[in-house]
Amino acid sequence: MLEKVDLTKKLSKEEYKEKMPQLEAKLGRLQRECKSLGIPIMIVFEGFGASGKGIQIGRLIQSMDPRGFEVHPIKNETEEERMHPFMWRFWTKTPSKGRIAIFDGSWYRRVLIDRFEKRTKNKELADAFHSINSFEEQLAEDGTLIIKLLLDIDKKEQKKRFEKLEKNKETAWRVTQGDKERNVHYDEYAAMIEDMLFKTDTDYAPWTIIESMDKRFATLKIYTTVIKAMADQIEKVQKEKTEGTAGKTEGEMAEIAREADEEMKELQVSILSKADLSLHYTKEEYKEKLDKLQKKMEKLHGELYRRRIPVVLGFEGWDAGGKGGAIKRLTERMDARGYVVNPTASPNDIEKAHHYLWRFWRAMPKDGHVAIFDRTWYGRVMVERIEGFCTTEEWKRAYKEINDMEKDLSDAGAIVIKFWMHIDKDEQERRFKERQENPEKQWKITDEDWRNREKWDQYEDAVNEMLMRTSTDYAPWVVVEGNDKYYARIKVLRTVAEAIEARLKEE
Amino acid sequence: MLEKVDLTKKLSKEEYKEKMPQLEAKLGRLQRECKSLGIPIMIVFEGFGASGKGIQIGRLIQSMDPRGFEVHPIKNETEEERMHPFMWRFWTKTPSKGRIAIFDGSWYRRVLIDRFEKRTKNKELADAFHSINSFEEQLAEDGTLIIKLLLDIDKKEQKKRFEKLEKNKETAWRVTQGDKERNVHYDEYAAMIEDMLFKTDTDYAPWTIIESMDKRFATLKIYTTVIKAMADQIEKVQKEKTEGTAGKTEGEMAEIAREADEEMKELQVSILSKADLSLHYTKEEYKEKLDKLQKKMEKLHGELYRRRIPVVLGFEGWDAGGKGGAIKRLTERMDARGYVVNPTASPNDIEKAHHYLWRFWRAMPKDGHVAIFDRTWYGRVMVERIEGFCTTEEWKRAYKEINDMEKDLSDAGAIVIKFWMHIDKDEQERRFKERQENPEKQWKITDEDWRNREKWDQYEDAVNEMLMRTSTDYAPWVVVEGNDKYYARIKVLRTVAEAIEARLKEE
């Protein structure tokens, strides 16, 4: 998840000044409503050192009635706390009905700082995650709203902030030896955060990543996240209360939630928009690279077979994005007995009578074999989501289900890579028209393609969310800049070859 | 959970013959209904070797239409299976809508046999449990009914059955070296089953323990369990389908479920009924033992403090069961600075504004201290359940919540023991009357006590279920035979002293 975060997000002073007053008023309004409905709220601030947790908490509480919240700074345990079970100090700090508890650091230190500093032993980790999930699930089921924010900055920015703090006598004490260690071993710490996100990003207590390089942007996203979560919860509680009785006007909260949704979309990381679609190769460059890479793949494929390493490659992308061409070039010189290309069409009757992942599980490769999927299980969170072929709950929980499946594959030793073949709207139109005009390619273009094209923006939102939520260290997404077919094909080949080489080196 | 299973349960031939035909007819009826509603069903048979999985599966399918089910014997992986991720062979065997898949052995071998034989490494265990729960949750959310049966026999019976199989040439091959190993290390294997129950007994796929010493009893309980689960699922699906439309007659399934419920209650392990309430001490015996044990406790208490071991003791029991007297004798010579007795009354307003476990978490002892609870968090699954102070979903999930809390305490080094002070109904009446007649004890008896007494049977069912579901190796329940107060007090003292001594020895 972290790898796909766009840390270049910024907000201008003007926009900030224009947007904040409204949000601040809303937050105050929502706090009063939560109080009157008796909804307890926990807001967790976690993230990298110097990512601005303290400052952001300060900004958040400015709009709150101070009689209604408490801030709990979670540092090293006191002696009293150390003499109790780890979760004790958090259980005792859970808010009562209608109150807000804000945690500056939290129970997650057990699987972050404490893990990094080896106070949490490896064999204790599974139990720690079990305790954390159980704690949050129990409270959520009891009606507590849990909002978890992960403040994200990059290694360089963190170092810069530490240095700035250290230069000033009054703030130098705030940078600990541990902070600096975690900066030096930034990647190792980030991997622990990634593991935490995998294990604790639940439907009852989801994480939101806050891009925190720019403080204004972070503030806006935090406000929006909190407002959205509170409005949703209020609506839910109101609905439960009025269930069965005549239609009460609950419009206000739904309206606030909708507005926050809109705002969130704007704040959302657009991974696709960052792709540089001007990347290209000349025909000569292409031919030379293609030849070299295909020869390499031929060798690597044999090596995979010899070492019994399975490979799973998923291809998704815009219609006419170049999936077919890339798969063709990838497999051209591979031994046909060692790979299978699975084209994914609409599910047939037997497939429909099973869980949507069943047909993909069946097609997973055995050790030493390569399975290539032309369209994949990600249909669940794209076409099925957008066309309403599954319910909102179904596609929302699919992210976790898919991550779990890919984790099972990876745990069994598989190399798993997913490609998004990316082109822009103009390029798609050009290709569509070309297909229509070329009798040999006409079969490739249908009315449905044109209809899907009309939903470009909806798909773009869905794809961005998908890339964000399902790009993991064990099964990464690779966005392939595809306006130039030569470039795209080479990138796919190179990515696969490099992943295999890296694995072979490990062994 | 296993420790409290009553393996003496038997069923006479007559009763078996009387009851089975009806159940068989029902099962056939339910299978047709599930088929027409498109409900997929998975039935898992796990348990000790020679517990009769094969025979019981044979008996179960006798009542089923053979076109509607498949039996999957799960042995060592084939070469093909070994070359895929572990869950692959189970994913590919998930039943389609309306069909039944019966597993003789299952994905649980990963955390049982494979764990025992060290094919599953310790560091892989957490991932294995994650995969298993994810698999079951995904299928359950997709509409699959998952019924998990654990067939339980004791070590001696297992050995006897193995010997019988080995004597006969035609069956000798069925007893493997691994089977015999697991018999020799029966307790170690049982601990793995216990761990599995803790981690995978979920609301979406709960376990049912089948006492399998007597085959007729096991068959009856399996039929009843399967019938109940199917009827419940059918009712649920019918409800969803008719939601909003006018009240269709769904009476039949509710009726079958209710009957199965009644039958289950009869089959249920009655832990309380096994207590021998004739146990007693003479006054002389009592005095001598009391003196010795109290002196020992005094010493052990000091040792606990020195070694910083926390102790949590919960007391529950019938009204007038002797909780107060036992606590008094237990603490009489302990240093008052080292223990606290927490009386648990109805929650006050502040407590009501929190999660029900909050007030107990607050009272948990720090290292080296003893916390004694006179009535406990188990109120949730007794008085709150019976008086309707919480919803059915709430008390049902409380078993897991409570087990999780006690696990957190135990993981932090605490000794956790729960006592059920048990007397029979006559003895209670005698004590109630004595209290009423004795002016100094009158304060101890209220109208509520008499009202609770009228619900004796309801409480007994609730207590039996509670003892079953929350007696764990890290926090066992001890039933104290309490008709004789002397005996009861000594048993409590002795149990606590022995638990402390055992811990001190470990360290």
Side-chain angles (χ1 to χ4, degrees), chain A residues 132-177:
Chain A
I132 286 172
N133 283 330
S134 174
F135 174 65
E136 292 179 357
E137 188 175 11
Q138 288 188 43
L139 292 169
E141 284 186 328
D142 199 44
T144 301
L145 170 63
I146 304 173
I147 303 169
K148 303 188 296 195
L149 307 167
L150 186 84
L151 276 58
D152 190 13
I153 55 174
D154 67 22
K155 184 173 180 173
K156 223 170 107 189
E157 175 73 15
Q158 188 183 40
K159 197 173 176 204
K160 217 174 75 190
R161 291 189 187 181
F162 282 155
E163 281 167 359
K164 196 176 159 201
L165 286 167
E166 282 192 304
K167 263 187 202 138
N168 188 330
K169 256 191 227 165
E170 278 160 36
T171 55
W173 61 273
R174 286 172 52 188
V175 183
T176 65
Q177 195 52 38

Side-chain angles (χ1 to χ4, degrees), chain A residues 444-497:
Chain A
K444 277 184 154 185
I445 180 101
T446 66
D447 288 351
E448 209 190 321
D449 291 328
W450 287 102
R451 276 196 302 275
N452 286 342
R453 185 175 156 79
E454 280 167 30
K455 296 181 181 169
W456 184 283
D457 291 349
Q458 270 174 278
Y459 271 97
E460 187 160 345
D461 287 344
V463 171
N464 274 320
E465 186 169 359
M466 170 187 88
L467 295 176
M468 185 69 193
R469 290 193 172 271
T470 58
S471 193
T472 55
D473 53 352
Y474 52 85
W477 270 106
V478 176
V479 175
V480 178
E481 300 82 353
N483 269 14
D484 177 62
K485 285 185 180 180
Y486 293 160
Y487 182 84
R489 292 168 187 172
I490 295 299
K491 179 161 178 180
V492 168
L493 260 162
R494 191 169 47 216
T495 305
V496 175

